Amino acid sequence: MLQNNPELKSKIDQLWNKFWSGGISNPLTAIEQITYLLFMKRLDELDQKKQADAEWTDETYTSKFEGKWIPPRFRANLRDEDSEDERKKKLEDEKRYEIEKRSLRWSEFKFFSPADRMLEHVQDNVFPFLKDLNGTESSFTRHMKNAVFIIPSGRLLVEAVKTVDEIFEVMERDSQEKGQAFQDIQGDVYEMLLSEIATAGKNGQFRTPRHIIKLIADLVQPQLGHKIADPACGTAGFLLGAYQYIVTQLAVTVGAKNFSPLQLQPDEDGFVRTSLAAGLTEKAQATLQASLHGYDFETTMVRLGLMNLMMHGIDEPRIDYKDTLSKSFTEESEYDIVMANPPFTGSIDKGDINENLQLGTTKTELLFVEKIYRLLKKGGTACVIVPQGVLFGAGLAFKTLRQLLVERCDLKAVITLPSGVFKPYAGVSTAILLFTKVWGPLDKVTQPATGHVWFYDMRADGYSLDDKRTKQEDYGDLQDIVAKYHARNPEIDTERTAQCFMVPRVDIETEGYDLSLSRYKQDVFEEVHYDAPGVILDRLIQAEVGDVDEAELDKVQSGIVRELLELRRMVG
């Protein structure tokens, strides 16, 4: 992760500070503007790489920057009532404003001088070109419609462009020296920037650490052809995690020509990952891209999520602006996999809650879990992060939800996370719930779906649990969780003094569907023998004065030695 590359972290801090001092102090606004620059840079680089690859393989590739382009503000306003001559004249007039697309490349406009000329060109041409990128019907274009480029000065833009170039140089060098896929390093950079959003804990949204996303992907094991969703996707970290997991598995099993063994080595968290989908067939790539669906109720998050996926090679991301708890969102039984860390905002307006949600509560941490259950197809699996209060809350809605998970789902696992996992943004204690939908909401349950629940007490995640979150030498419990979850056995994993164990459904029913680990874990008490108080006091006295006989000690009139002697007489 980024903590291990101080040069990269320093460059990102520089970029952030330039925006701050340049008058853009709102973290969400700054990250959005920085993201546009990263996107411009990456778009140019990806296009040039695809051109080079096509030349090498004698294939045809049409560059996004080939030909001419007319900025939207100069396009002809054609109306139905226009005559043929009027249409022809308008179209001829607009041609006067055509510009060469190559001038919209990062590698071209970064040399524009003076600074104000570059700013004007990016504002009036490059940014509108980005918004127009995937055609008028694309999700990206639709959600970029109201986006604005608000870098206020040419000087700030020039400095930001220079710093972004330096960041990409460090990333390229890092990928060559350490064998890590460029996209993964870029993901580190992007997530470092995204982390700034969470400093204010906006709407309870806390960025899920990448190693926790990778853990969840390894637990769920999404496959090519699965329809995958995140109903509160934020910047699309879980969708990207699913994408990278599937791409990696295909690379491992099929063997992709563009992967070196070094690229498929375990990363610093012990997971094998790559974003490089070049080895996939065109059909597999299209299937994979069409399978990822994300929703968020903030337009900024939707734009950031779209650009995040596009910067990782997903050309047409399916992320949309939707409040998935509201009456306007009616999807049910659609997805094979749901991975999510929904916001813990506390409550939602009762009048806007979808009437299909039956818990009778306004608490979003409960409503989202029920919604995720409803989004799953029968046989579909979800892995969701919840505050630990969901596991033991005494209210009717809490208990009803837990009963639903145990009876209508096969609740496979409850993994408690240490409270430091989301630091420095939040100290909230969380847990991972992993369940498969068996019975639908209207089905009559003839037999509860859960047989046994696997509990795991994660004590370490490979990073320090303070605000610094420094990488530790080992993987913490990450790889142990994956291995033991997939090898779990209700006949063997019965020792409740262990770090993980399985609990029969009957025991959970007896405890009123309480899912807190402490309810079932048995503590081990070890008998400890201590020296007698007199012996301890003798040792302390000797440490103060050395080997002195009792007669000499009796002459001591004051100080700590006198007090120790008094204590020794009292304990006799």
Side-chain angles (χ1 to χ4, degrees):
M1 285 182 75
L2 210 55
Q3 293 94 320
N4 301 330
N5 191 327
E7 183 182 5
L8 203 51
K9 189 175 187 309
S10 173
K11 294 289 183 190
I12 290 164
D13 286 342
Q14 286 177 29
L15 184 59
W16 184 257
N17 290 335
K18 282 173 182 174
F19 271 76
W20 183 271
S21 59
I24 302 178
S25 56
N26 182 301
L28 204 55
T29 304
I31 180 61
E32 195 170 18
Q33 299 303 308
I34 292 170
T35 300
Y36 296 150
L37 296 179
L38 292 172
F39 191 63
M40 293 171 193
K41 169 75 173 176
R42 188 68 177 141
L43 185 68
D44 185 11
E45 290 202 340
L46 284 173
D47 187 79
Q48 292 191 53
K49 184 180 185 305
K50 287 178 180 178
Q51 278 186 297
D53 289 346
E55 289 174 9
W56 178 259
T57 57
D58 286 328
E59 295 176 354
T60 302
Y61 173 72
T62 303
S63 167
K64 293 182 186 296
F65 299 97
E66 185 178 312
K68 297 180 184 295
W69 179 76
I70 300 171
R73 67 188 185 281
F74 296 128
R75 289 176 192 168
N77 180 24
L78 301 177
R79 298 175 300 177
D80 293 339
E81 59 267 28
D82 287 344
S83 67
E84 192 63 34
D85 287 342
E86 286 174 325
R87 283 173 172 268
K88 188 175 180 181
K89 185 177 186 307
K90 285 182 178 181
L91 291 172
E92 285 176 356
D93 286 345
E94 75 172 10
K95 280 191 173 183
R96 292 184 296 138
Y97 300 101
E98 283 182 337
I99 60 175
E100 295 289 342
K101 281 188 180 180
R102 67 171 180 269
S103 71
L104 306 172
R105 284 188 183 276
W106 177 279
S107 53
E108 292 276 342
F109 74 69
K110 73 176 184 179
F111 294 112
F112 280 25
S113 182
D116 286 344
R117 179 178 171 235
M118 183 198 292
L119 179 63
E120 182 180 3
H121 181 61
V122 172
Q123 282 177 333
D124 293 345
N125 301 321
V126 179
F127 190 65
F129 175 71
L130 285 189
K131 295 170 69 170
D132 205 30
L133 194 60
N134 286 358
T136 55
E137 300 303 316
S138 77
S139 174
F140 177 73
T141 303
R142 188 170 73 254
H143 291 299
M144 288 291 286
K145 183 177 181 181
N146 296 320
V148 290
F149 189 79
I150 58 170
I151 291 180
S153 70
R155 180 188 56 79
L156 175 58
L157 178 60
V158 168
E159 290 182 358
V161 165
K162 180 174 180 288
T163 306
V164 167
D165 269 339
E166 291 170 353
I167 287 171
F168 271 71
E169 286 175 14
V170 177
M171 285 196 287
E172 188 66 46
R173 188 167 67 246
D174 210 46
S175 68
Q176 291 173 357
E177 292 175 358
K178 298 182 181 178
Q180 188 182 4
F182 182 89
Q183 285 98 326
D184 294 337
I185 303 170
Q186 179 179 287
D188 279 336
V189 170
Y190 197 63
E191 292 211 4
M192 168 69 177
L193 290 165
L194 295 179
S195 69
E196 297 293 340
I197 296 173
T199 53
K202 188 176 178 60
N203 288 329
Q205 293 169 324
F206 298 106
R207 183 182 57 98
T208 309
R210 182 111 62 84
H211 57 286
I212 300 298
I213 291 174
K214 288 185 284 191
L215 168 67
I216 286 175
D218 269 41
L219 293 173
V220 176
Q221 296 183 326
Q223 304 297 311
L224 183 66
H226 279 163
K227 194 174 180 183
I228 303 165
D230 182 348
C233 69
T235 55
F238 277 109
L239 297 178
L240 182 60
Y243 176 81
Q244 290 174 329
Y245 179 88
I246 295 170
V247 166
T248 304
Q249 295 309 305
L250 291 172
V252 170
T253 55
V254 178
K257 60 184 178 181
N258 292 329
F259 291 102
S260 71
L262 188 59
Q263 287 173 323
L264 294 177
Q265 293 298 309
D267 61 21
E268 62 192 357
D269 300 310
F271 297 99
V272 175
R273 287 292 188 277
T274 181
S275 300
L276 298 172
L280 302 185
T281 64
E282 192 172 317
K283 182 180 178 182
Q285 178 72 349
T287 299
L288 179 51
Q289 293 203 30
S291 67
L292 304 172
H293 300 259
Y295 305 95
D296 203 274
F297 61 87
E298 282 198 355
T299 54
T300 300
M301 288 295 179
V302 171
R303 287 198 287 262
L304 294 179
L306 285 164
M307 285 186 283
N308 191 12
L309 293 184
M310 290 175 76
M311 283 196 290
H312 282 84
I314 302 173
D315 294 330
E316 289 283 353
R318 299 179 180 224
I319 297 178
D320 212 346
Y321 171 74
K322 290 281 176 65
D323 180 351
T324 50
L325 297 181
S326 71
K327 292 176 179 177
S328 63
F329 187 79
T330 57
E331 285 191 8
E332 292 210 5
S333 301
E334 285 282 334
Y335 300 99
D336 300 289
I337 301 287
V338 177
M339 300 160 61
N341 177 16
F344 315 146
T345 57
S347 62
I348 185 175
D349 180 15
K350 190 173 183 179
D352 195 38
I353 298 173
N354 190 302
E355 50 267 15
N356 288 337
L357 299 175
Q358 298 295 308
L359 286 180
T361 181
T362 58
K363 292 185 178 297
T364 55
E365 63 266 35
L366 303 181
L367 293 171
F368 265 113
V369 179
E370 184 188 358
K371 185 62 185 182
I372 288 167
Y373 155 74
R374 288 174 171 272
L375 285 172
L376 290 172
K377 299 175 182 177
K378 286 186 181 179
T381 297
C383 206
V384 54
I385 297 174
V386 297
Q388 283 193 25
V390 171
L391 306 181
F392 55 80
L396 178 61
F398 285 89
K399 184 176 177 180
T400 302
L401 177 65
R402 295 194 297 267
Q403 186 173 352
L404 178 150
L405 292 175
V406 171
E407 293 187 350
R408 294 187 175 270
C409 302
D410 178 5
L411 180 58
K412 297 176 182 294
V414 176
I415 302 166
T416 58
L417 308 181
S419 61
V421 165
F422 286 92
K423 284 186 175 180
Y425 318 112
V428 62
S429 293
T430 56
I432 295 171
L433 297 176
L434 203 168
F435 56 91
T436 296
K437 182 176 180 177
V438 176
W439 300 100
L442 301 179
D443 293 340
K444 182 179 179 182
V445 178
T446 56
Q447 171 65 31
T450 300
H452 291 76
V453 179
W454 185 71
F455 286 85
Y456 192 104
D457 180 18
M458 182 200 283
R459 295 164 188 162
D461 67 345
Y463 296 81
S464 64
L465 295 173
D466 55 16
D467 285 356
K468 292 184 179 179
R469 298 290 279 142
T470 308
K471 182 72 185 86
Q472 306 297 287
E473 292 184 2
D474 59 16
Y475 303 144
D477 295 328
L478 297 175
Q479 297 306 315
D480 188 56
I481 290 171
V482 174
K484 288 182 177 172
Y485 169 74
H486 290 300
R488 69 195 187 284
N489 186 326
E491 295 181 5
I492 297 173
D493 300 332
T494 57
E495 182 53 66
R496 296 194 187 180
T497 58
Q499 190 171 5
C500 61
F501 51 84
M502 298 196 76
V503 176
R505 183 193 72 250
V506 176
D507 290 8
I508 292 172
E509 289 173 345
T510 302
E511 295 293 346
Y513 297 96
D514 192 315
L515 294 175
S516 54
L517 181 136
S518 59
R519 177 69 67 178
Y520 306 101
K521 187 173 178 62
Q522 296 174 359
D523 294 319
V524 178
F525 297 98
E526 295 182 8
E527 188 175 354
V528 180
H529 295 279
Y530 295 100
D531 291 331
V535 175
I536 295 172
L537 287 165
D538 282 340
R539 197 178 297 136
L540 290 171
I541 292 168
Q542 186 181 36
E544 289 291 331
V545 298
D547 294 320
V548 178
D549 59 33
E550 289 295 321
E552 288 296 320
L553 284 174
D554 285 340
K555 295 178 182 177
V556 177
Q557 298 296 316
S558 61
I560 190 168
V561 174
R562 182 76 262 157
E563 293 176 5
L564 290 171
L565 289 168
E566 290 292 336
L567 278 173
R568 189 176 67 175
R569 263 194 287 274
M570 289 169 64
V571 301

